[in-house]
Amino acid sequence: MTTPLQHGVLFTDLYQLTMAQVYFSHGIADNEARFEHYFRTYPSYGAHRAGYCVSAGLGPLASRLERYRYGDQELAALAHMRSVSGAPLFGKDFLDWLGANGDFRRLTLRAVPDGRLVHPHTPITVVEGPLALAQLVETPLLNHRNFATLVATKASRVKQAARSGTVLEFGMRRAAGLGANLATESALVGGADFSSNVGASHKVGLPAKGTHAHSLVQAFIALGGAELDAFRAYARIYPDDCVLLVDTIDTLESGVPNAIRVFEELRAGGRRPAGIRLDSGDPASLAPAAARMLDKAGFGDVPIVLSDRLDEISISRLTEKLARDADDPDRIIGRLVFGVGSRLATSEGAPYLDGVFKLTAVRQDHRWRHAFKRTDDPAKAAPPGRKSLWRLYGDSGYAHGDMVTLAEETPDRKEEDAPEPLLEDAWRHRKLSGEENLQAARARRRADMARLRAECSDLVDPEPYPVVRSPGLQELSDRVPAAVMIGEG
Amino acid sequence: MTTPLQHGVLFTDLYQLTMAQVYFSHGIADNEARFEHYFRTYPSYGAHRAGYCVSAGLGPLASRLERYRYGDQELAALAHMRSVSGAPLFGKDFLDWLGANGDFRRLTLRAVPDGRLVHPHTPITVVEGPLALAQLVETPLLNHRNFATLVATKASRVKQAARSGTVLEFGMRRAAGLGANLATESALVGGADFSSNVGASHKVGLPAKGTHAHSLVQAFIALGGAELDAFRAYARIYPDDCVLLVDTIDTLESGVPNAIRVFEELRAGGRRPAGIRLDSGDPASLAPAAARMLDKAGFGDVPIVLSDRLDEISISRLTEKLARDADDPDRIIGRLVFGVGSRLATSEGAPYLDGVFKLTAVRQDHRWRHAFKRTDDPAKAAPPGRKSLWRLYGDSGYAHGDMVTLAEETPDRKEEDAPEPLLEDAWRHRKLSGEENLQAARARRRADMARLRAECSDLVDPEPYPVVRSPGLQELSDRVPAAVMIGEG
């Protein structure tokens, strides 16, 4: 299979190319420019909203950009595009320039690395380089970073709700086409322990996880057998990985008793059963009931996988109830495995992150000139200037806020603040394997979660995390140059 | 660029492969099996729900399945997968079978073609073929069909709301990674007239559409120019495709007057301006105000593109208001162009379709045996048997309902019903170009929309569309064979 054209550098919005040609024709395509990517609001899932986001998608973005080329095929496709007048939309000189200069590795790409916690109105990805090229990177950058950060955030919330339970990402069946792979990778960064996605798990060096579907039991029954025969057939092939789906007929009357029979057979052969899966009914009653049956049969350590329309809210309701009511909450919660599908892979309730990519400065004659934007909607105004992003820590080790400064500024260094710069060279991880990148991202998230005050990570009604602008940036933002005053020009 | 492993046949959930190996080891991998794909509920967007869905994703699915191969790389990756015991998860004999037999073109694939209207609890995609292979197709099938149908449905609703206005799909920036391409293709099937997505538009033979971003104006201002200079530079390169974004500074005070100056210059050169774009503020007041300014300057036919957080509800509010209040509603609505982004590409409010893929029959000894499923949740029960799907029309030409029958049945043919079979061979379009497939799908949607009673397509509170089961199917569904009764086995 060759890569289809629409997966390469033509994976873009038309206006990036038309603008690039204007810059080229106007002789400013190679002026150095600064664009900054930030999101405006935390994902809001209806009755509740996130109190933090988990940066993700940078690794996949960098490896994609590194391979993007305006090759013969791409340039031929562009050369065939037509104006409504019938004339070519793109001139040969511009396409030649693209072919010769359209290598995204020429851009400086700095970002808050995958796995770190990020907040609204802070520059989490910044690009510097030739104006036309920096413009052209907008679509793939926003596409990868917005969606990945969104799903990593949802996964992190799910993992919080699961407490000591395990989280599996099961979302491919309802995810957005090939975007399912980015959903999986991002969920694994954000908090999912494993995924059912074979290809994406392979890429990041994790074993894919799974059980079986109802169809296995149905097939055996249709061919004259019974649920028990299906379970035995599965156990025979996977004696050490045997997770049995127990709700095809009746969970407590048929599925669990049959699973226990098979588990006893496995145990007699010196094997350790891997779990049962409940895919329907009320988990708050079924999971403890199934656990009691397993316990009684001596399978007190066998995991119980839940997989029916889960999200962070339904999971936290369940784990809270168990923490309150169960005899041994730690044990039952610790044996639960949450297979979270559609609602994770699509970030149900908040299916997109409102990240934008704004020009903040252009260089001419060795001097950076600030780019301003006014609009009729103050929420859409973009602060000018090349910025840096810092995290401030208190004595306790907790982050007490993020500060956006101008690039040349350092936060006033009060002793207790210990400002940490958050933007790093995004290219530098490109030689790492998928596995190394994932493990590093997970370590960053764990470290950041440990330094986030608990009130800011509450699943419902989190406290606002402080984001402040440095005095220098605030002063610049308040200035509006004559050229953007109304009536000029 | 070579195709990454995770875009090929390993784009699947692990359990499809583990089940396939059980079927193989049990000697039933080649038994013919029937799986049926249906969704359970219309997308429900919060306060409103869809009254129909638009089938989509079949073309992309078929062309993907046609190219899937268990080649050396894929088989090597599978051979490296390990049980928790450390032993290989997949045996060599099974992998050999996969390599030799894992060609999805061996499957019979029948479906309601892209563009046709479809309804819950009807088999919209059916697969027949070797049990293991039919099982393995589940993940890519659900992934493509569910998401594509969801987005096509949203696009159709947006197109309804837009009335005579034009709809552009602008969603790449917030869409799910490469899933953005499937979103674009599906939106174009469902009702979007064009898209900004260059690669996906190229694939289906449509021109990509776009304007410019704020960054163009900002760059010119930062370099010492003004909004007017940016507009002039754009118009110089695109005299016949000149759509100007007018809200970088102030829509009515700066953007529109500057656009009119440039349009006058274009007109003086014999060119026809292509439009203005409003990306912020209240379109219900700004669009008519901008229209009046354009009219006064003699640009009464210049389109007005709106692109700020639109969906079918905000668009229908606007078009309803204009239909009620505007002096010449048809003219102003007809010149509006709706650039719909995030909320279309992610189907905001209902980000996944709950489609499932269920085993309904397996053949042994030349006889089909029905596959039953009970669960603790009646909504998740799956009716058995190989089914067909028909649409019934009244004298008026309107569809008065869909009927699900057993495959060997034909609906009782009352004269007025004129039952139309809806399932077609999904492979037969595979030799068509992307363009031919899109145009055919759009024609199907138009024809079906014209035959859907208006009450069923209302954007809010649509009337239920009747879906009935034939008496034969109902009788079979009510039967539960001894083997799935509790306690058997």
Side-chain angles (χ1 to χ4, degrees), chain A residues 40-234:
Chain A
R40 290 167 175 148
T41 54
Y42 294 112
S44 179
Y45 309 96
H48 51 294
R49 71 158 180 88
Y52 64 89
C53 285
V54 178
S55 173
L58 190 64
L61 171 70
S63 79
R64 190 156 278 280
L65 291 180
E66 201 180 2
R67 288 173 289 131
Y68 274 167
R69 292 291 178 280
Y70 293 93
D72 293 345
Q73 266 197 305
E74 288 81 5
L75 293 172
L78 294 176
H80 274 93
M81 293 180 69
R82 288 288 174 272
S83 156
V84 297
S85 70
L89 193 61
F90 299 109
K92 188 178 176 312
D93 49 353
F94 170 63
L95 295 179
D96 288 346
W97 181 89
L98 257 192
N101 296 279
D103 182 339
F104 290 97
R105 291 172 299 184
R106 294 172 63 208
L107 294 170
T108 299
L109 180 63
R110 294 174 62 77
V112 185
D114 289 346
R116 296 217 63 172
L117 303 192
V118 288
H119 300 278
H121 290 289
T122 66
I124 61 172
T125 325
V126 306
V127 171
E128 262 179 32
L131 174 59
L133 202 58
Q135 180 75 64
L136 285 164
V137 86
E138 176 176 11
T139 299
L141 186 151
L142 289 180
N143 172 275
H144 279 71
R145 288 283 274 161
N146 284 338
F147 177 71
T149 297
L150 182 76
V151 173
T153 301
K154 189 79 166 179
S156 182
R157 294 166 56 78
V158 167
K159 184 66 178 170
Q160 280 184 259
R163 304 191 184 197
S164 59
T166 300
V167 174
L168 307 181
E169 186 275 317
F170 275 179
M172 295 189 86
R173 301 183 311 154
R174 276 85 178 258
L178 289 178
N181 286 329
L182 189 56
T184 296
E185 277 195 66
S186 309
L188 292 171
V189 165
D193 295 286
F194 299 99
S195 165
S196 62
N197 182 330
V198 175
S201 297
H202 177 83
K203 181 184 165 196
V204 297
L206 285 183
K209 295 283 179 181
T211 60
H212 65 81
H214 297 108
S215 52
L216 182 90
V217 177
Q218 291 177 280
F220 274 77
I221 292 174
L223 294 173
E227 187 180 55
L228 185 61
D229 301 306
F231 286 1
R232 281 188 175 133
Y234 199 81

Side-chain angles (χ1 to χ4, degrees), chain B residues 43 57 70 105 213 223 242 276 281 327 368 387 391 454 483:
Chain B
Y70 293 93
R105 292 173 299 184
L223 294 173
C242 185
I276 61 168
D327 293 336
W368 282 103
K387 303 179 211 56
R391 186 152 295 161

Side-chain angles (χ1 to χ4, degrees), chain B residues 168-249:
Chain B
L168 307 182
E169 186 275 317
F170 275 180
M172 295 189 86
R173 301 183 311 153
R174 276 85 178 259
L178 289 178
N181 286 328
L182 188 56
T184 296
E185 278 194 65
S186 309
L188 292 171
V189 165
D193 295 287
F194 299 99
S195 165
S196 61
N197 182 330
V198 175
S201 297
H202 177 83
K203 182 184 164 195
V204 297
L206 285 183
K209 295 282 179 181
T211 60
H212 64 81
H214 297 108
S215 52
L216 182 90
V217 177
Q218 291 177 279
F220 274 77
I221 292 174
L223 294 173
E227 186 180 57
L228 185 62
D229 301 306
F231 286 0
R232 280 188 174 132
Y234 199 82
R236 186 166 65 83
I237 312 291
Y238 308 108
D240 301 297
D241 309 82
C242 185
V243 181
L244 298 172
L245 173 62
V246 293
D247 74 339
T248 306
I249 297 169

